[in-house]
Amino acid sequence: CPIWIILNKEIYYVTRQRLKVNVYVKVHRDSPFLVCMDVSLAQSEVIDPNYLWIGPDGQTLKGDYVNLTETGKLMVHDFREHMSGPYTCTLTYRVFRNDMQVEQEKVKAYKFMVYAYREPDYTYRISVHFTTKECSLAANQQFFEELKKILNNLISYLTCHIIEPAYKCYSVKRPNHGLVDELFVVFEVNPFAPGWEAICHHVTPDCEDVTNSRVQKARLLIEEFFRRQQYILKDEYENIPVIHYIDHSFQVTRLDSCRPGFGKNDVIHNDCANCCVACDPGSYSPNNNVVCQTCTSIRIKYYGAKSC
């Protein structure tokens, strides 16, 4: 393991195996404590230690946004995208020979790569099937429009809505049944219906947790809606309608998107594989894509830039 972690990931040390560790800090949160010392030194006496922390801009760290303790621990407050980058600490200390006649100064440097990250924004793609009398039936389109209204009304109080709705009709041969015409319906459940910003930013300035919670609730409501269709058909209809839901056809897939300036890479950032991490130097993300693109221009504005 490249990192020694104690107190529920609150303190990060450099180990002998690696002189550089990756640390991931959620945007608008405080970083964990980074310790200017390796594990072996932390378990022994250190005489006259002196600590010098350098930030990503090459300047000595100081000010209200950092917490520097007398024992060399660093915490960065209210972490933002532009704070991503290398954090280097130089530790200077003294070593004496047993007879106290010889004094030696030793210097060690420790490097932490600190990345800002966000949770991805969730959208759910859902597909369901319905039987129909025939694919040319005019009522198919009317049914589809009515279904969209029902689903949107169901989740509107969560400021979620249905996007990318579509359907197609196919003739299907199922086991032990004849040929049946079916409507294949697909749509996405999205948490960014009009008015979402006002609700979201009223609660927190960093609102992917809020939007993700709402869209998860919306997905569960829609899943329950379709689960109930089969019971309604059995209990409330003597004659089954021409167009009706096919039991167990409900399928859902979560789609992740990263906000501009962020991307996902489970190889480079395997400690935060499901996070949207601020793009590395030399790359950028201009839109809600999960991949950071490599810059083609030589000049790069800043670490984690939205453009090059």
Side-chain angles (χ1 to χ4, degrees), residues 159-224:
T159 59
C160 296
H161 63 160
I162 303 301
I163 64 171
E164 305 292 336
Y167 82 94
K168 288 187 177 181
C169 189
Y170 298 98
S171 295
V172 180
K173 171 63 176 71
R174 295 192 179 276
N176 303 319
H177 290 82
L179 204 61
V180 179
D181 285 350
E182 293 185 9
L183 302 178
F184 287 55
V185 177
V186 63
F187 56 89
E188 294 179 10
V189 185
N190 181 279
F192 303 113
W196 73 271
E197 291 118 320
I199 296 175
C200 185
H201 292 296
H202 180 71
V203 178
T204 172
D206 190 36
C207 55
E208 65 261 25
D209 289 341
V210 177
T211 54
N212 286 345
S213 175
R214 288 192 287 102
V215 78
Q216 286 174 318
K217 291 178 182 178
R219 190 215 77 180
L220 292 173
L221 283 173
I222 291 174
E223 186 174 5
E224 179 61 23

Side-chain angles (χ1 to χ4, degrees), residues 13 25 36 51 67 79 81 98 110 127 129 160 173 208 215 224 230 238 249 262 266 276 278 285 303:
Y13 284 89
V25 183
C36 188
Y51 312 96
N67 177 10
F79 204 84
E81 297 95 311
N98 289 339
Y110 305 104
S127 65
H129 296 180
C160 296
K173 171 63 176 71
E208 65 261 25
V215 78
E224 179 61 23
Q230 190 66 23
E238 294 183 5
S249 67
F262 292 81
D266 58 357
C276 294
S285 173
Y303 191 93

Side-chain angles (χ1 to χ4, degrees), residues 23 67 86 109 154 173 185 222 227 265 272 282 290 301:
V23 180
N67 177 10
L154 182 66
K173 171 63 176 71
V185 177
I222 291 174
R227 186 182 295 115
N265 190 317
C272 199
V290 294
K301 281 185 179 180

